[in-house]
Amino acid sequence: MPKRELSLRATGGLAKAAVAHPRLLLAAKTAIAVAIAWKLAPFMPGVADDYPYYAPLGVIVASFPTLMGSVKNAAQTLAGLVIGIGLAAAVIIFSEPSVLTVALVVGVGMLFGGIRQLGAGRDYVPIAGLFVLIVGGPNADGYSIGYVSQMTLGVVVGLAVNLLVAPPVRVTAAATELSRLRGSLGRHLADLADALDASWPPAEGEWSAQGQTLLSTTTAVRHALAEVDESRRINPRERIRPHDLSHDYDDLAALENVTFYVRDLTDVLAGAAWGTPVPVELPAALRPPLSEAARATAAVVEEWDTGTADPGTLRAADDAIAALNQAIHDQRDLGAEAILAASAATLDLTRMIAALRPGITRDAPTSA
């Protein structure tokens, strides 16, 4: 294939990826909506056309990664504006703007900002009150009307553009995060198996310090699923591309359990190798069957991640864990203390397989 054609194809792929990126798409939609709002602002009736610069601000308020988030953010902001303007109006009715009244409005506005339900609108309560008193001044009535009208115009334009131009459904992002967690767990278990096969005690590797990384990955997955859930609400594209999140949440729960057991298994092996965090014994005769069981469990996770889940791999992991149990039984003459660590590791692996089994059984391809 000619180099020029390859270059064009690569450029096209990069452009497609860039357009599909949620943040870049949001930026483009916001820019389009700002331009539309700025063009429409001078046509607002009455005194509102004197304050066209608030229309683009309304667009920014309504520009959120998800459609439901945009609606919520916009409604909370407008509510905050109305409350702030109401506070300023109360001052204007009963007094005149002064150092004392401005301080009072801002102070009370900050108190209203403590209302959790106002969300994004909490910061706008004191700001709106301050603007009406200082910027509006003697024309506070007209300024207030123009402020709210133009902000509302911008909000409507921003929501319309967000609704009409590919409102995102973040299913792909959640699937990517779930895959990243499966991959991390599979690699970690394989690294544990390699450490058991190496000369003992093994050199300290990355596997001994990966517990926090696994926890942060599970947090990222939960955050991604929450974003998917929100992106589907009031989103017309959800009817075109429906997605059942219940399976994703089930998978996350299973992987969170596996993460806990992997961290426990890591502590057991670190204790056997270097005496930290708790010194334990791991007889040489039990390291090979433990390595085989860990590697078989890693294969289960890795196959599930690649979409090639096979019940046969599950059975192989069950057999490897059963062999480990038998090896522990054969070494029982060494005493309880000598087989304690291997028994704890066996229990961790058994629980991992129990957590993984429902999802893998569900996703395993059915034979024709």
Side-chain angles (χ1 to χ4, degrees):
M1 185 178 292
K3 289 184 178 180
R4 177 176 175 77
E5 187 175 345
L6 281 172
S7 177
L8 288 173
R9 180 169 294 184
T11 303
L14 289 173
K16 184 177 179 181
V19 171
H21 193 280
R23 178 56 57 174
L24 187 56
L25 179 60
L26 177 63
K29 291 197 295 185
T30 303
I32 293 170
V34 162
I36 295 172
W38 182 248
K39 283 293 185 180
L40 293 178
F43 298 101
M44 290 291 287
V47 297
D49 65 345
D50 293 334
Y51 308 97
Y53 38 84
Y54 287 118
L57 179 58
V59 170
I60 295 172
V61 164
S63 297
F64 207 74
T66 64
L67 188 57
M68 186 63 193
S70 296
V71 172
K72 184 178 179 181
N73 201 64
Q76 290 171 338
T77 300
L78 291 177
L81 288 177
V82 171
I83 294 173
I85 290 172
L87 292 175
V91 167
I92 293 170
I93 291 172
F94 297 105
S95 180
E96 293 183 357
S98 65
V99 173
L100 180 60
T101 55
V102 167
L104 179 62
V105 166
V106 171
V108 175
M110 292 299 292
L111 290 177
F112 272 94
I115 301 175
R116 184 172 55 86
Q117 288 78 2
L118 278 176
R122 291 183 292 182
D123 295 334
Y124 282 87
V125 177
I127 291 174
L130 184 64
F131 278 16
V132 169
L133 291 178
I134 294 179
V135 180
N139 188 32
D141 292 347
Y143 176 82
S144 299
I145 294 172
Y147 191 2
V148 174
S149 300
Q150 293 288 10
M151 285 285 287
T152 302
L153 170 66
V155 164
V156 171
V157 172
L159 290 178
V161 171
N162 205 353
L163 174 65
L164 296 174
V165 183
V169 181
R170 306 293 300 277
V171 174
T172 302
T176 300
E177 291 296 337
L178 277 169
S179 177
R180 188 161 71 94
L181 179 55
R182 291 192 194 99
S184 297
L185 289 168
R187 287 190 299 273
H188 191 84
L189 284 167
D191 288 344
L192 294 180
D194 289 341
L196 286 163
D197 289 337
S199 58
W200 197 262
E204 191 165 353
E206 289 186 6
W207 61 269
S208 61
Q210 287 298 303
Q212 192 59 43
T213 301
L214 291 174
L215 277 182
S216 64
T217 305
T218 59
T219 301
V221 175
R222 187 162 289 281
H223 178 71
L225 286 178
E227 282 194 341
V228 173
D229 207 7
E230 184 176 272
S231 72
R232 294 164 64 240
R233 298 172 65 186
I234 69 171
N235 193 332
R237 293 181 67 195
E238 169 62 17
R239 297 185 179 182
I240 301 172
R241 297 174 55 194
H243 181 77
D244 184 6
L245 273 179
S246 62
H247 288 166
D248 295 321
Y249 277 112
D250 289 343
D251 292 349
L252 174 59
L255 292 172
E256 284 178 329
N257 285 336
V258 172
T259 299
F260 177 81
Y261 301 136
V262 165
R263 294 182 71 207
D264 187 70
L265 176 59
T266 301
D267 286 345
V268 169
L269 295 188
W274 311 298
T276 57
V278 178
V280 292
E281 292 184 36
L282 185 60
L286 294 180
R287 290 199 293 269
L290 178 54
S291 171
E292 288 299 318
R295 201 177 301 282
T297 306
V300 170
V301 180
E302 290 165 353
E303 281 193 6
W304 192 23
D305 182 42
T306 58
T308 58
D310 183 0
T313 308
L314 263 179
R315 289 192 294 272
D318 288 334
D319 292 343
I321 294 172
L324 174 58
N325 264 317
Q326 183 60 49
I328 294 172
H329 180 75
D330 293 342
Q331 298 294 322
R332 65 187 184 281
D333 292 341
L334 295 177
E337 192 171 328
I339 62 174
L340 180 62
S343 298
T346 303
L347 184 58
D348 284 328
L349 292 168
T350 302
R351 287 174 169 174
M352 288 181 212
I353 294 300
L356 294 167
R357 192 181 305 277
I360 292 175
T361 302
R362 181 198 67 219
D363 294 342
T366 56
S367 56

